[in-house]
Amino acid sequence: MTDAVDTREMADWLGLAAAPAFAVMAVISGVAGDGQPALCTAGDANAALNGMAFMYLLMSVFHLPPWVRALGPTVQRHRGAG
């Protein structure tokens, strides 16, 4: 039983780690500049980096629900206190 709880807790932490990690990768991809090689396309390097930054930003948005669930009770308490 303890192993199942530990695995579930690790999965929760991993879910919380995904959104900030992708957001940081989006910033790095957007700021990296011209010197980085385009690994995903044979076209313009700037277009590939912009596409990668957009993809990472989109992935961070899709990984926000664990944060919404984690902060939900806190937001509800503050909203009810006002």
Side-chain angles (χ1 to χ4, degrees):
M1 183 71 177
T2 306
D3 291 335
V5 172
D6 291 341
T7 304
R8 199 172 315 134
E9 287 177 10
M10 287 189 323
D12 290 342
W13 279 107
L14 184 60
L16 288 172
F22 285 127
V24 168
M25 290 164 48
V27 170
I28 291 171
S29 293
V31 175
D34 301 15
Q36 300 295 323
L39 298 176
C40 295
T41 65
D44 184 23
N46 291 330
L49 289 175
N50 289 338
M52 292 300 288
F54 178 73
M55 180 198 67
Y56 287 134
L57 184 64
L58 192 60
M59 289 171 70
S60 71
V61 168
F62 284 135
H63 285 87
L64 281 179
W67 281 96
V68 172
R69 282 192 300 273
L71 296 176
T74 305
V75 172
Q76 292 297 328
R77 272 188 266 135
H78 289 308
R79 189 178 295 168

